[in-house]
Amino acid sequence: MPRGGGLMAPGARLLFLLAVWTLAALARHGTGKAGDGGWQRPGPAVLAEEQRCAVERRADLSYSEFVQHYAFSRPVILQGLTDNSRFRALCSRERLLASFGDSVVRLSTANTYSYRKVDLPFQEYVEHLLYPQDPTSLGNDTLYFFGDNNFSEWASLFQHYSPPPFSLLGTTTAYSFGIAGAGSGVPFHWHGPGFSEVIYGRKRWFLYPPEKTPEFHPNKTTLAWLQDMYPTLAPSARPLECTVQAGEVLYFPDRWWHATLNLDTSVFISTFLS
Ligand SMILES: *[C@@H]1O[C@H](CO)[C@@H](O)[C@H](O)[C@H]1NC(C)=O
Ligand SMILES: *[C@@H]1O[C@H](CO)[C@@H](O)[C@H](O)[C@H]1NC(C)=O
Ligand SMILES: *[C@@H]1O[C@H](CO)[C@@H](O)[C@H](O)[C@H]1NC(C)=O
């Protein structure tokens, strides 16, 4: 698969950014829809450009195909692996607030190296911090709910999650659950292999193989990188990119660089293999 298959003309990129930002601005004022778990707000239609994808999508992939073609070599988006409809229903805004509104969650700053942590009741996070990303604010000043989950307190939720049924020899699995606003995301970083499933919303991924360290500022948001750095990249320096839809799972191999951008308010869960 050629790298950079999801290129956009500079004009298209600007449109895409404007759309993300318009979507984010509208999200402040809209009202939720039941089908989206109450997390999404009405916004403009998805732009065609943003649907471009340079990561393969595979439905009903077998374990041996996964190991042979992807596990150690490249990312892939998996469809139809598990049925998480029950888990999805439990992750609606209303259900989560009713079950876990009072529990304290640990938020992290959305930058690359130094993660400041802040503890806050879940309800306060949802009501006061889950707003669209301000494109001018810094990642190290942006609080994001992802990981640091209290698995004993939230056991009644996580017991209903079916992770992708592919593990790798000698690895154990660990979950990271999160909810984040439109336009938010984590800037480039890498770690061990794993899966990331979108429960509600859409998440755009930007990926580079381990030997291709991207240029980025560790304290700037993905949105700022997309706005400032991406348009300056030579075609050969562009990442692999794709938008993962609700119900899909992206697999990232060991040590692949990646940055994420939530196109809507997103609920997501990663399964790390380490
Ligand atoms: C965030 O990072 C910027 C630039 O890297 C720095 O100037 C600023 O002090 C940092 N903010 C906090 C709260 O640490
Ligand atoms: C990023 O922010 C952290 C604290 O928020 C600061 O200690 C660090 O120096 C900043 N890094 C850069 C490269 O500006
Ligand atoms: C997890 O939640 C339980 C119950 O609220 C609490 O007693 C425990 O200290 C929490 N664990 C962590 C690591 O925060």
Side-chain angles (χ1 to χ4, degrees), residues 7-67:
L7 301 190
M8 295 180 189
R13 167 60 53 178
L14 186 62
L15 250 178
F16 170 59
L17 270 171
L18 284 174
V20 169
W21 182 239
T22 310
L23 192 67
L26 282 176
R28 282 183 221 273
H29 307 296
T31 49
K33 282 190 297 181
D36 294 317
W39 294 107
Q40 301 320 326
R41 299 338 195 208
V46 176
L47 289 187
E49 286 83 359
E50 163 212 312
Q51 295 288 12
R52 293 201 191 189
C53 175
V55 179
E56 282 178 70
R57 278 195 156 85
R58 297 292 306 265
D60 306 313
L61 191 69
S62 72
Y63 180 66
S64 63
E65 283 178 293
F66 169 70
V67 169

Side-chain angles (χ1 to χ4, degrees), residues 90-113:
L90 293 173
C91 287
S92 71
R93 190 177 193 273
E94 198 181 343
R95 302 282 290 264
L96 282 186
L97 283 175
S99 308
F100 303 107
D102 296 333
S103 52
V104 170
V105 293
R106 174 152 291 186
L107 311 175
S108 299
T109 46
N111 54 334
T112 295
Y113 301 121

Side-chain angles (χ1 to χ4, degrees), residues 59-207:
D60 306 313
L61 191 69
S62 72
Y63 180 66
S64 63
E65 283 178 293
F66 169 70
V67 169
Q68 208 178 333
H69 298 297
Y70 306 101
F72 307 102
S73 51
R74 59 185 191 269
V76 59
I77 294 173
L78 305 165
Q79 299 175 313
L81 274 185
T82 50
D83 176 6
N84 274 310
S85 50
R86 168 111 178 100
F87 180 73
R88 179 167 300 114
L90 293 173
C91 287
S92 71
R93 190 177 193 273
E94 198 181 343
R95 302 282 290 264
L96 282 186
L97 283 175
S99 308
F100 303 107
D102 296 333
S103 52
V104 170
V105 293
R106 174 152 291 186
L107 311 175
S108 299
T109 46
N111 54 334
T112 295
Y113 301 121
S114 52
Y115 304 101
R116 188 163 55 92
K117 307 282 184 180
V118 173
D119 291 344
L120 208 65
F122 179 64
Q123 179 158 356
E124 275 184 44
Y125 173 68
V126 171
E127 289 176 354
H128 303 300
L129 289 182
L130 195 56
Y131 44 70
Q133 177 73 48
D134 174 350
T136 62
S137 71
L138 287 166
N140 54 328
D141 291 329
T142 304
L143 289 168
Y144 195 84
F145 173 38
F146 180 56
D148 293 303
N149 305 112
N150 185 326
F151 292 102
S152 49
E153 201 172 4
W154 292 58
S156 62
L157 174 68
F158 295 121
Q159 73 185 26
H160 295 286
Y161 181 62
S162 303
F166 299 158
S167 82
L168 297 175
L169 200 64
T171 62
T172 56
T173 60
Y175 294 151
S176 270
F177 177 72
I179 302 174
S184 69
V186 178
F188 281 105
H189 66 287
W190 58 266
H191 40 64
F195 301 93
S196 173
E197 179 160 357
V198 174
I199 305 300
Y200 286 115
R202 294 167 301 152
K203 191 188 280 287
R204 192 152 184 91
W205 283 72
F206 304 92
L207 302 124

